[in-house]
Amino acid sequence: MPEVPEIVNILYRGFFERGVRYFFPDASMVTDGKAQDANPTLVFHSRTDGGVDLEWMGGRYHCSCDGRPFTEEQLRLLGAIGAVLSARFRSIFSAVSVASTTGLFEGLAEDRYVSAFLDHTPYLGDDLPAGRDVVANAIEVMRESSLLTYENRRISTGAILMGRGRDPFHEGPVLPRGALLYTSALIGIKSLHRLCDGLDTIFVVDRDGMLVDLVDMQRFSEAHGAPRLPAPSSARYYAHSLITLEGGHICLVLTPNGEIKIFAGGVQVFNFMEGRWHLTDVTEKYHEFHRAVGDVALAERLFTAALNLAESRRGGLFVVLDDPAAAQQLVAPQDLLENEEPAESNKGQIHYLLRHKSLLGVELSVLESIARVDGGIIVDRDGRLRAFGAILRNSGEYPTAQDGGRTTAAVHASRFGSVLKISEDGLVSFYRGGRRVWEI
């Protein structure tokens, strides 16, 4: 490679910094001097404090996430950013024709980073990526479809991208005669939007990016049986998670709410909402929640219910107390289910229906119905229901301009245990020790 002007190195360091700050807005990224070599290869150095030191294009950086160690998925995303930028940088000095490398620069950079995270094989080694980026093309289809309506309704659609791994449940799709590439060029075919809604029906795209089939979502996933997923899934997208558990398949869905969801490895890995991509890291976040709760069955039930409520855009609040006696500090005596005195309120008159019940013994649909009652659900670590629809005491804490009443209640209640807060905008947040630990 010829000698590179320093201005090019500076330019690509700027690209890298913007990419990191896009996906890690809450992380600290500090320039830490210069590296010895200005190579287009991202180098990692782990630190004992959970942070990571990076070397890129002659620059050194120290990154940390509020004192929390970087997860495996987060490190993988950093590597994807470096891989895409490295390929773009090398293409500038490549002897390969310009026409064959311009595809590297198409689309939004953050879409390319997501694509490289999901399928890094095109960016491995010293050779430039050859052929089309199937994942990036599918993302572009979702993006452009999200801007359209059909018969005054927003479009929902989806696609299964067949992976390179072994799938014991499905044979490789046969390329039909007249098959089309699954790219944004298909958006102009209006009838295409009526064929697939991404929920009940979904397109199948082969490894070369060809649209080869249209299948029933449930029927396609039934072949997998009922294995345990790495983390709970909402009922609406359980089948989407299931089909990605084997074979390296990737599933993309544009929801009726205009959100783009991407599933891989049996879980949702990305979502695009409110104008930006979010790495869900749902497996790590779920394990962190169930470690705090203690009981795996209880954690799984609450986590699943929270995801279901979020998908239906219903708010809620689940509080798991470390000490059952703390219920008296959070909830008024008349709201406690253990209070068997004659109740004056309408809600109190039906307390007997749920008194002495355990959340581990009620159906998930019942739990979600209880959660829809205004107020919070209070349980102990054994799953015993202590209160529902309860207005939590906040010890003089009041909502700020940025935080609503449910957030204030979650912050205060988290001083007594583990709290899941579900927002009407589809977000699930975990609070512990008076602070937000994570958000999905």
Side-chain angles (χ1 to χ4, degrees):
M1 183 179 295
E3 185 176 351
V4 179
E6 179 61 19
I7 186 63
V8 177
N9 293 337
I10 294 173
L11 182 65
Y12 269 79
R13 286 202 294 269
F15 291 154
F16 178 73
E17 292 168 15
R18 283 195 291 274
V20 174
R21 292 193 172 101
Y22 175 93
F23 286 101
F24 303 93
D26 298 327
S28 170
M29 185 178 186
V30 180
T31 303
D32 190 20
K34 291 186 177 182
Q36 293 182 351
D37 299 316
N39 293 324
T41 302
L42 184 61
V43 179
F44 291 80
H45 299 284
S46 299
R47 294 171 59 111
T48 56
D49 61 3
V52 61
D53 289 335
L54 305 171
E55 294 183 11
W56 168 254
M57 299 300 297
R60 291 179 59 90
Y61 304 93
H62 172 61
C63 298
S64 61
C65 285
D66 194 24
R68 294 164 54 82
F70 277 83
T71 66
E72 182 179 343
E73 298 282 81
Q74 290 173 329
L75 293 175
R76 179 179 166 187
L77 181 54
L78 288 172
I81 296 171
V84 171
L85 292 176
S86 177
R88 288 182 169 183
F89 179 88
R90 286 182 282 116
S91 72
I92 299 174
F93 305 95
S94 173
V96 180
S97 67
V98 174
S100 62
T101 59
T102 51
L104 285 170
F105 296 87
E106 294 177 350
L108 298 177
E110 52 265 30
D111 291 354
R112 285 284 179 168
Y113 302 150
V114 171
S115 173
F117 175 97
L118 296 165
D119 184 8
H120 61 275
T121 52
Y123 298 94
L124 292 177
D126 295 329
D127 296 332
L128 292 175
R132 62 185 66 94
D133 189 328
V134 175
V135 180
N137 286 342
I139 291 174
E140 187 176 13
V141 172
M142 300 297 141
R143 270 192 181 274
E144 295 198 14
S145 297
S146 69
L147 303 175
L148 304 177
T149 59
Y150 188 80
E151 296 181 347
N152 294 323
R153 288 184 295 182
R154 301 184 73 166
I155 291 172
S156 63
T157 186
I160 302 167
L161 311 183
M162 302 301 287
R164 296 180 174 85
R166 177 179 175 273
D167 183 351
F169 306 106
H170 305 100
E171 295 182 1
V174 177
L175 185 66
R177 182 178 181 182
L180 301 172
L181 281 171
Y182 190 69
T183 67
S184 58
L186 296 178
I187 301 300
I189 306 175
K190 291 186 177 180
S191 58
L192 188 80
H193 308 311
R194 304 198 70 170
L195 293 178
C196 166
D197 65 3
L199 296 175
D200 299 316
T201 56
I202 197 163
F203 292 123
V204 177
V205 178
D206 70 10
R207 299 172 184 174
D208 297 320
M210 307 299 292
L211 178 59
V212 295
D213 206 352
L214 172 68
V215 298
D216 179 85
M217 191 72 225
Q218 296 300 325
R219 185 69 178 271
F220 194 82
S221 66
E222 283 176 357
H224 294 257
R228 191 173 186 85
L229 297 177
S233 166
S234 65
R236 181 176 295 179
Y237 295 104
Y238 175 78
H240 301 72
S241 297
L242 192 59
I243 62 174
T244 66
L245 197 55
E246 299 281 351
H249 308 322
I250 299 168
C251 183
L252 297 91
V253 179
L254 171 63
T255 75
N257 296 317
E259 177 186 356
I260 302 174
K261 294 178 179 288
I262 302 182
F263 302 84
V267 295
Q268 180 181 325
V269 288
F270 282 99
N271 69 330
F272 182 85
M273 62 187 302
E274 298 180 349
R276 66 182 304 116
W277 286 107
H278 304 269
L279 176 67
T280 57
D281 212 355
V282 66
T283 302
E284 177 62 30
K285 290 174 179 175
Y286 166 65
H287 288 311
E288 190 167 8
F289 175 67
H290 89 58
R291 285 193 297 266
V293 170
D295 188 294
V296 175
L298 177 61
E300 183 175 355
R301 173 149 294 209
L302 291 176
F303 198 87
T304 304
L307 294 177
N308 287 340
L309 290 169
E311 289 299 336
S312 58
R313 296 305 191 260
R314 299 270 191 168
L317 196 68
F318 297 141
V319 181
V320 183
L321 299 174
D322 292 336
D323 181 2
Q328 299 176 8
Q329 300 179 55
L330 276 176
V331 181
Q334 62 270 22
D335 285 337
L336 291 172
L337 292 177
E338 61 198 45
N339 183 5
E340 301 188 16
E341 296 181 4
E344 298 180 0
S345 67
N346 291 333
K347 187 181 69 177
Q349 293 174 5
I350 59 173
H351 274 180
Y352 72 92
L353 293 173
L354 297 169
R355 188 173 291 133
H356 308 307
K357 290 282 183 80
S358 169
L359 292 190
L360 297 175
V362 302
E363 296 295 331
L364 196 59
S365 59
V366 174
L367 170 57
E368 292 169 22
S369 295
I370 299 170
R372 293 189 182 103
V373 180
D374 290 339
I377 288 182
I378 313 296
V379 300
D380 57 30
R381 291 168 72 93
D382 294 325
R384 187 161 63 99
L385 187 61
R386 307 299 302 276
F388 72 95
I391 304 302
L392 306 186
R393 294 169 171 171
N394 58 21
S395 297
E397 296 181 47
Y398 297 98
T400 65
Q402 294 79 24
D403 297 330
R406 186 177 289 130
T407 299
T408 302
V411 171
H412 178 67
S414 69
R415 296 189 174 94
F416 300 91
S418 303
V419 179
L420 284 182
K421 186 199 77 169
I422 306 97
S423 304
E424 286 86 352
D425 55 7
L427 296 175
V428 178
S429 306
F430 172 42
Y431 291 81
R432 179 84 182 175
R435 68 181 185 90
R436 190 182 74 185
V437 180
W438 53 248
E439 185 173 77
I440 298 176

